[in-house]
Amino acid sequence: MGYLLKTITASYLIDGAEDEETDAARIVVYEDEELQQIVFDTGRSGSVRGMATRIHIELKPRQRYYWKVQVWDRMGRCTESDTAWFETGLLSGGFRGQSITPDLDPSVQPIYIKSFTLEQPVKTARLYITCLGVYEAFLNGKRIGDEVLAPGITAYNHYIQYQTFDVSDMLLEGKNLLEVRAGDGWYKGMYGYRQNEKYRQGKKFELLADLYVNGACALSSDCSWKVRKSNIIMSDIYNGEFRDDTVDEKIYFPVREGLLDKRLVKERLGVPVKQKEIISPVDIIRTPAGEIVLDMGQNMVGWVSFFCREKVGHKISLEYGEVLQNGCFYNENYRTAKARFDYISDGAEKKISASLCFFGFRYVRLSGFTEVHIEDFQGEVVYSDLNRTGEIRTGNEMLNQLISNILWSQKGNFLDIPTDCPQRDEKLGWTGDAQIFSGTACLNMDCYAFFRKYLNDIALEQEDTGGLVPQVVPSVGRNERTSTAWGDAALIIPWKMYRYYGDESILEEQYDSMKGWIDYIDHQNLVNGTNPGLWQNGFHYGDWLALDGGCYHMPTGGTDIYYISSAFFCYSVEIIAKTAEILGKEEDYKRYSNKAAEVRAAIQNEYFTVNGNLCIDTQTAYIIALEFGIVENEVQRELIKKRFIERIRKDGYTLKTGFVGTPLILNALSDCGRSDLAYKLLLGNEYPGWLYPVTLGATTMWERWNALNPDGSMSDTGMNSLNHYANGSVQEWMYCHMAGICPKEDGAGFSKVVIKPEIHPGIGWLDLKLQTMAGGYEIFWKIKEDCKLYFRCRIPFGACADIMLPSAEGNISVNGIEGTYHEGVICGLRNGVHEIEYRLRKDYRAYYSLSDSVKELVSNPKIKGFLYDKVPMLCHTDKAEIQNMTLPEMSKLPFFLGIGNRLGLEELVLKEIESYIKEIPK
Ligand code: BGC
């Protein structure tokens, strides 16, 4: 209701049908509930798709539209859907009301008040309302709607969203009272970079409202409204809230006309933010410092509500933190954010909570409470109202906890905009973080509307910056800074959305923004006089937080930043070329395809040797060479793959990657045919790795691989969030490789998929449920004890799946019927549940080989015994750089190092070792 309808698409799903295909479909849109006035009709047609059919209507303001779908099967039988609806907002007519501002010091948090009389019975009523700051509205004492922190955060200098509420059942014939409580929120508070006054957004509260009753405007904001001082004395996104319920001044102050330009006020795009879940604390801790601390058992975002039984005038406080240190309360990693809720009781026994701010926390320090009863407290979990679409469970409990941590970091950081972290003095829409995590996010939850708003703001910001995509969007007053991989959010996010949701309109809507970013890079090359085929100028965050760089204070990692920026340039140009092709923009398609080839060639010239080797020997360098299509030639690809695997081995099979490499490393390993290594990295529980935080009890993703030291102490306070989703981007690999489901090139939105599971004994089984635009998929696989693979999948109506099963040869039973399928490839499975079982070839798991490092070999006790027996000198080679070598490499070490040939690693011995280890599974 009341959304900004830039492009309208209609989608539907068919469920429970036995047939495999429909013959035709029809979508009809009506203007009236009786379904008499047709305003749009596709007609019965074979080309009406279930996914994202374009609807063209000349929209009328404040109009509810009704729509239906009819489908015909091949026998000509017709089935009809229930009626659905959508409703427009005020559209171009805009608000009748005037923006009003309290005639009070701007620091006073106001409650706007308007009493009014309605002469007629109310049939329908809508309140259109927005505010500079954040607000909650009440009609006749009752809260309107269930969203919090409205109107949300937007690029305020471009637009402010208004909300539409159906208040038909809340209004009375006769006297009514409308009250709107406002708080500083993102707009007016200390939100932005490091609480700097300079980056305060707006200075004044303003309110704009129209109330329509039975189709006519019955009330508007104007100077007849009044304000009183709110019981919320202070509210701030970083610092929290101070609420004093003894404030009950019945003193009314006038309002003045505000300065808000009504042309900036637009229909909402953002998904409402709501209190989505409630959790109970698991413990009340008395700390060594004598504090009382509530443990929610889960790092969460929102606030704690409590039942207050304190006497009038009694003050209590709640302070929020993510972790205990030495058993005591701690929140130094919040930096300047005070993150507290202070409350003065009016003596009434009632439920109390913050409402105009939010906190990221697991622990809450309670002060001033006369008595503390655990059952009086609740964690109210707040995030954008997004539906869960993907779920993965496996036979590995640690991995399941990681999956849960990723989901909780998504919940906590998908609060109107995608943020880096929800607790310290940032809570900012960092574009890089959003880009990295967008794939996982879109599979875990339906994020279409959520990202659409974010991308809309990116595009608006670009209007002021000549195409530059700010590092943070909304840019909160600093739109001049950007970086590669951050700005590329403008292309990568819409592209992921298109691939996973199948709706081209997002590409269309964002096309100029995508182009804008490419143009910006071209322009930078022009003004800096640098090679136009690369991007070798300006500031970049590089492989942010990678472990192979030297600089602690600027952790851009060990991979040349301009190689990274050039590689992203190539990848983004590739995306826009594909986008132009999909949108039928022939000219652009040609232009950008050529450009992509030019950039690729320039990167080859600059960063590769004549023989095809990459000059930068880091994990991330190889990863992006492989994943961004920089190395196309098959022979060269094989070389780069080999070098990449060697690099990882030399790094002791540990991650060295940062924001650029981490999201892609497991994909790169799978592409190298080394899912065994991908699993090894994923399932390792030592630092650095995804499961290390799990061993320390993490319930969300951490910003740094070593946010906490093994003894539980914080490794750093400067930049150390315990709720940062970036490294959670690994879950996209779990969907696309562990479960193995991926939309085909021509199957965006999962209408056509490949299911190619990569199995591993380390997880034993996997269970996936994925709701897509093409319907619900299910995948289950289990490695059974008798070395058989049981595989089951459910393909939704109208979709089509090619299954590629691992280590399959000979007979495979599909739905109980034995058949021979070449290399386990079964093409074109459709609607329904399919069960497959077969005996796995021996190579379904990895075996040791001479290309493994010595460290890896001796980690297996059997091999260790054998090796030390065969080559006794080996036990003297305990230095890391030597341990990371392979045996053949070691055998070539110069004599003077004291090992080498003296080890007795002659060709023959190596052969003997090889034939022994290749029979031992990893
Ligand atoms: C944020 C990051 C962000 C980075 C820029 C940090 O303070 O929390 O996640 O991307 O700055 O490098």
Side-chain angles (χ1 to χ4, degrees):
M1 200 193 302
Y3 278 81
L4 184 69
L5 299 162
K6 289 207 273 190
T7 31
I8 311 174
T9 58
S11 302
Y12 61 87
L13 288 175
I14 296 173
D15 211 8
E18 274 162 26
D19 211 342
E20 281 176 356
E21 278 168 48
T22 51
D23 185 52
R26 175 184 179 206
I27 298 174
V28 194
V29 186
Y30 309 85
E31 223 176 49
D32 58 332
E33 205 170 353
E34 294 69 38
L35 312 183
Q36 297 300 313
Q37 309 282 335
I38 295 179
V39 287
F40 177 80
D41 190 349
T42 59
R44 177 177 169 167
S45 154
S47 62
V48 173
R49 301 192 315 143
M51 205 183 289
T53 296
R54 261 323 233 292
I55 307 289
H56 302 278
I57 326 175
E58 199 63 49
L59 292 171
K60 291 186 184 162
R62 296 178 289 102
Q63 172 73 43
R64 184 167 286 200
Y65 293 93
Y66 300 84
W67 65 285
K68 278 194 139 197
V69 183
Q70 295 176 313
V71 283
W72 287 266
D73 67 11
R74 285 179 295 188
M75 307 286 287
R77 289 171 301 201
C78 177
T79 312
E80 209 168 272
S81 72
D82 291 340
T83 310
W85 60 264
F86 61 94
E87 190 180 304
T88 55
L90 296 166
L91 301 189
S92 56
F95 276 83
R96 299 245 179 137
Q98 56 183 196
S99 170
I100 52 173
T101 184
D103 200 3
L104 281 169
D105 185 290
S107 64
V108 176
Q109 316 276 299
I111 298 179
Y112 299 86
I113 304 149
K114 179 68 189 169
S115 50
F116 57 98
T117 307
L118 293 176
E119 310 287 356
Q120 291 162 2
V122 177
K123 281 201 241 88
T124 60
R126 298 283 182 274
L127 177 66
Y128 305 95
I129 180 169
T130 192
C131 156
L132 297 184
V134 287
Y135 73 89
E136 36 186 16
F138 302 82
L139 243 183
N140 302 320
K142 272 205 217 123
R143 178 87 153 80
I144 301 174
D146 59 353
E147 61 183 285
V148 297
L149 297 161
I153 166 170
T154 49
Y156 294 122
N157 50 334
H158 285 274
Y159 79 116
I160 284 152
Q161 313 184 101
Y162 70 86
Q163 281 66 44
T164 304
F165 295 106
D166 181 351
V167 289
S168 312
D169 296 334
M170 299 180 81
L171 284 169
L172 307 170
E173 189 182 342
K175 284 201 108 189
N176 289 278
L177 177 68
L178 177 63
E179 292 167 291
V180 184
R181 177 155 60 184
D184 280 359
W186 296 279
Y187 180 82
K188 196 176 162 291
M190 282 300 208
Y191 179 69
Y193 290 89
R194 294 287 177 114
Q195 301 226 29
N196 189 333
E197 186 68 26
K198 189 173 148 211
Y199 299 115
R200 250 179 190 252
Q201 291 278 300
K203 297 283 183 208
K204 280 198 175 134
F205 287 109
E206 299 205 23
L207 176 108
L208 183 62
D210 275 353
L211 176 70
Y212 279 75
V213 178
N214 302 339
C217 187
L219 177 79
S220 288
S221 49
D222 61 24
C223 289
S224 70
W225 289 45
K226 297 271 177 280
V227 284
R228 62 185 159 87
K229 292 185 181 172
S230 173
N231 52 340
I232 295 176
I233 310 295
M234 185 282 288
S235 72
D236 186 84
I237 297 290
Y238 294 155
N239 295 330
E241 216 164 283
F242 171 31
R243 172 168 163 180
D244 181 355
D245 274 359
T246 62
V247 173
D248 189 19
E249 293 175 41
K250 291 277 183 283
I251 307 172
Y252 295 94
F253 298 88
V255 296
R256 282 185 283 117
E257 190 168 345
L259 297 173
L260 173 63
D261 179 350
K262 284 202 277 176
R263 285 171 305 181
L264 291 183
V265 181
K266 302 262 166 65
E267 282 79 27
R268 74 176 315 151
L269 265 177
V271 179
V273 177
K274 291 188 177 172
Q275 180 224 293
K276 293 274 290 175
E277 293 172 48
I278 294 216
I279 60 175
S280 297
V282 292
D283 199 8
I284 290 185
I285 301 164
R286 295 194 191 250
T287 73
E291 308 148 309
I292 302 175
V293 173
L294 213 55
D295 177 4
M296 302 310 297
Q298 172 65 52
N299 200 349
M300 57 165 277
V301 173
W303 48 69
V304 160
S305 67
F306 58 96
F307 196 79
C308 181
R309 309 167 201 277
E310 304 297 343
K311 291 209 180 69
V312 58
H314 192 90
K315 184 173 174 186
I316 49 186
S317 301
L318 291 84
E319 290 161 276
Y320 292 88
E322 288 185 295
V323 67
L324 299 179
Q325 290 289 275
N326 300 318
C328 295
F329 180 79
Y330 171 94
N331 69 3
E332 273 173 48
N333 62 325
Y334 288 24
R335 303 195 300 218
T336 60
K338 295 198 181 68
R340 59 185 294 147
F341 178 69
D342 296 307
Y343 178 66
I344 300 179
S345 170
D346 60 355
E349 295 201 354
K350 60 186 170 190
K351 190 180 145 193
I352 300 295
S353 73
S355 61
L356 299 173
C357 64
F358 60 92
F359 308 99
F361 63 99
R362 169 170 171 173
Y363 298 97
V364 190
R365 175 161 64 186
L366 308 174
S367 333
F369 282 77
T370 311
E371 276 180 51
V372 174
H373 304 283
I374 196 162
E375 59 281 4
D376 283 347
F377 296 87
Q378 277 185 333
E380 302 192 358
V381 185
V382 172
Y383 54 97
S384 288
D385 193 12
L386 305 171
N387 290 332
R388 178 94 181 263
T389 47
E391 255 173 83
I392 299 177
R393 282 195 332 113
T394 73
N396 183 317
E397 274 317 313
M398 299 265 285
L399 192 62
N400 292 343
Q401 182 63 48
L402 172 69
I403 292 169
S404 161
N405 295 359
I406 296 170
L407 185 69
W408 274 96
S409 281
Q410 179 167 0
K411 290 175 183 175
N413 285 294
F414 273 46
L415 199 156
D416 204 30
I417 51 166
T419 57
D420 56 336
C421 54
Q423 74 296 73
R424 70 173 178 226
D425 52 2
E426 292 209 49
K427 308 188 182 186
L428 293 166
W430 283 94
T431 46
D433 306 46
Q435 174 270 109
I436 292 166
F437 190 63
S438 55
T440 294
C442 286
L443 296 169
N444 276 342
M445 295 182 190
D446 178 356
C447 296
Y448 192 85
F450 180 83
F451 275 130
R452 189 176 185 219
K453 171 189 170 236
Y454 186 61
L455 293 174
N456 176 71
D457 283 38
I458 287 185
L460 291 174
E461 296 278 6
Q462 286 176 282
E463 288 177 12
D464 303 334
T465 58
L468 173 154
V469 176
Q471 60 184 12
V472 161
V473 172
S475 64
V476 286
R478 281 191 80 172
N479 62 6
E480 75 289 1
R481 295 202 66 168
T482 191
S483 162
T484 189
W486 272 248
D488 294 280
L491 291 103
I492 296 174
I493 300 179
W495 182 249
K496 291 259 175 200
M497 288 168 74
Y498 165 69
R499 293 286 300 141
Y500 290 151
Y501 298 138
D503 189 343
E504 290 169 18
S505 60
I506 196 66
L507 298 178
E508 210 172 302
E509 286 177 6
Q510 293 305 123
Y511 193 67
D512 288 343
S513 150
M514 295 165 111
K515 269 176 105 164
W517 176 243
I518 304 297
D519 291 347
Y520 166 77
I521 300 170
D522 286 342
H523 184 69
Q524 290 309 301
N525 283 333
L526 196 71
V527 294
N528 287 290
T530 44
N531 185 338
L534 303 166
W535 188 10
Q536 292 179 310
N537 53 64
F539 167 83
H540 296 284
Y541 285 112
D543 193 15
W544 186 245
L545 295 181
L547 299 172
D548 52 7
C551 180
Y552 182 79
H553 294 288
M554 199 53 199
T556 51
T559 310
D560 185 307
I561 56 166
Y562 289 145
Y563 165 72
I564 295 177
S565 47
S566 301
F568 268 94
F569 185 33
C570 183
Y571 185 54
S572 280
V573 175
E574 199 76 71
I575 289 178
I576 200 159
K578 284 192 259 184
T579 301
E581 187 182 19
I582 291 163
L583 299 179
K585 297 176 189 288
E586 262 310 303
E587 283 286 290
D588 280 6
Y589 169 60
K590 275 191 214 135
R591 181 155 72 93
Y592 287 120
S593 305
N594 291 339
K595 190 177 175 75
E598 274 162 35
V599 177
R600 209 176 298 122
I603 295 176
Q604 284 277 350
N605 273 340
E606 182 85 353
Y607 297 104
F608 289 80
T609 67
V610 278
N611 292 325
N613 256 319
L614 183 50
C615 300
I616 307 163
D617 186 23
T618 63
Q619 294 181 8
T620 293
Y622 294 114
I623 293 166
I624 54 181
L626 292 169
E627 296 304 294
F628 287 173
I630 288 160
V631 183
E632 286 189 316
N633 172 297
E634 266 319 308
V635 179
Q636 192 190 8
R637 268 188 87 77
E638 287 314 307
L639 175 67
I640 296 300
K641 284 179 181 175
K642 192 170 151 254
R643 286 297 157 102
F644 169 47
I645 302 296
E646 276 171 13
R647 182 67 261 159
I648 296 194
R649 192 241 310 149
K650 287 180 197 155
D651 290 333
Y653 300 106
T654 59
L655 289 162
K656 293 282 180 205
T657 50
F659 271 35
V660 168
T662 305
L664 300 169
I665 187 168
L666 301 193
N667 297 286
L669 285 168
S670 287
D671 292 346
C672 293
R674 293 302 305 267
S675 60
D676 64 306
L677 256 185
Y679 273 107
K680 184 178 169 66
L681 291 184
L682 179 67
L683 300 179
N685 53 22
E686 278 170 19
Y687 162 79
W690 287 276
L691 294 188
Y692 167 70
V694 175
T695 63
L696 287 171
T699 57
T700 39
M701 300 306 294
W702 296 348
E703 179 171 21
R704 293 175 180 272
W705 290 119
N706 64 340
L708 297 187
N709 297 314
D711 64 359
S713 59
M714 271 320 253
S715 64
D716 180 25
T717 52
M719 208 185 66
N720 203 353
S721 142
L722 301 185
N723 196 354
H724 230 78
Y725 53 53
N727 286 340
S729 54
V730 69
Q731 201 176 341
E732 194 175 3
W733 180 84
M734 298 187 211
Y735 283 105
C736 301
H737 291 272
M738 262 167 57
I741 184 162
C742 241
K744 286 173 86 164
E745 194 70 18
D746 60 346
F750 293 89
S751 56
K752 292 182 194 164
V753 302
V754 174
I755 301 177
K756 191 183 174 200
E758 291 168 25
I759 62 172
H760 194 267
I763 63 167
W765 58 265
L766 173 137
D767 193 357
L768 162 105
K769 292 191 179 45
L770 184 64
Q771 187 61 43
T772 72
M773 291 298 286
Y777 284 88
E778 287 174 17
I779 296 172
F780 177 84
W781 60 254
K782 184 180 169 113
I783 303 171
K784 296 184 13 180
E785 268 159 27
D786 53 2
C787 219
K788 276 189 168 171
L789 185 77
Y790 171 75
F791 172 91
R792 188 180 62 232
C793 66
R794 185 184 191 287
I795 314 296
F797 180 91
C800 175
D802 291 347
I803 317 281
M804 298 165 89
L805 294 164
S807 297
E809 67 181 349
N811 283 358
I812 293 180
S813 124
V814 180
N815 297 328
I817 302 163
E818 292 270 322
T820 312
Y821 296 88
H822 181 63
E823 285 292 324
V825 178
I826 305 159
C827 289
L829 282 189
R830 288 183 175 268
N831 192 21
V833 176
H834 306 278
E835 281 186 293
I836 298 176
E837 197 168 303
Y838 64 96
R839 187 165 298 281
L840 286 159
R841 264 193 330 242
K842 182 178 154 227
D843 70 3
Y844 85 90
R845 54 191 307 178
Y847 288 78
Y848 287 94
S849 79
L850 285 184
S851 59
D852 291 318
S853 66
V854 173
K855 180 177 161 198
E856 176 72 355
L857 293 177
V858 297
S859 70
N860 179 301
K862 242 174 114 180
I863 300 182
K864 186 175 177 178
F866 175 82
L867 274 184
Y868 284 7
D869 193 38
K870 263 272 127 283
V871 195
M873 283 290 280
L874 259 185
C875 46
H876 302 299
T877 57
D878 55 356
K879 288 220 168 51
E881 60 276 24
I882 295 184
Q883 284 268 309
N884 289 334
M885 287 180 165
T886 62
L887 287 172
E889 274 173 356
M890 238 184 214
S891 72
K892 292 189 192 91
L893 282 176
F895 192 55
F896 60 82
L897 281 184
I899 38 180
N901 288 339
R902 278 207 297 158
L903 279 174
L905 279 170
E906 292 87 16
E907 204 54 18
L908 222 65
V909 181
L910 284 173
K911 283 239 155 67
E912 206 179 324
I913 295 172
E914 184 178 26
S915 58
Y916 179 80
I917 61 175
K918 73 172 203 235
E919 294 304 319
I920 300 178
K922 287 188 179 171

